[in-house]
Amino acid sequence: MKSLLKFMSLVGLVFTIYPPVLYFMGDASLERMKFTMGIGMVLWLVSAPFWINKSAGSEQSQ
């Protein structure tokens, strides 16, 4: 489950970072960039808090 959350977080970060680059290069419209970044923001905020700052010992004790 933790690896799935990490993957979702990575996808969220890619969806947040990559669209402005495409917009700057002229390959994406402003609306598409905003939409994609919104999806990335939601993915990151939903998945990251569950695995960031969790030590390996606390996971084993549960």
Side-chain angles (χ1 to χ4, degrees):
M1 183 68 174
K2 189 175 180 180
S3 60
L4 177 65
L5 289 171
K6 285 184 178 184
F7 179 74
M8 285 176 54
S9 297
L10 178 65
V11 170
L13 285 176
V14 169
F15 275 27
T16 304
I17 296 170
Y18 195 57
V21 174
L22 290 177
Y23 178 73
F24 179 72
M25 294 173 61
D27 292 336
S29 66
L30 181 63
E31 293 80 22
R32 185 177 186 115
M33 179 189 73
K34 287 180 182 179
F35 181 73
T36 309
M37 289 180 72
I39 292 172
M41 175 191 65
V42 169
L43 278 173
W44 172 256
L45 290 175
V46 166
S47 61
F50 295 106
W51 65 269
I52 290 183
N53 292 331
K54 303 284 183 181
S55 65
S58 67
E59 186 177 291
Q60 292 174 353
S61 64
Q62 292 179 0

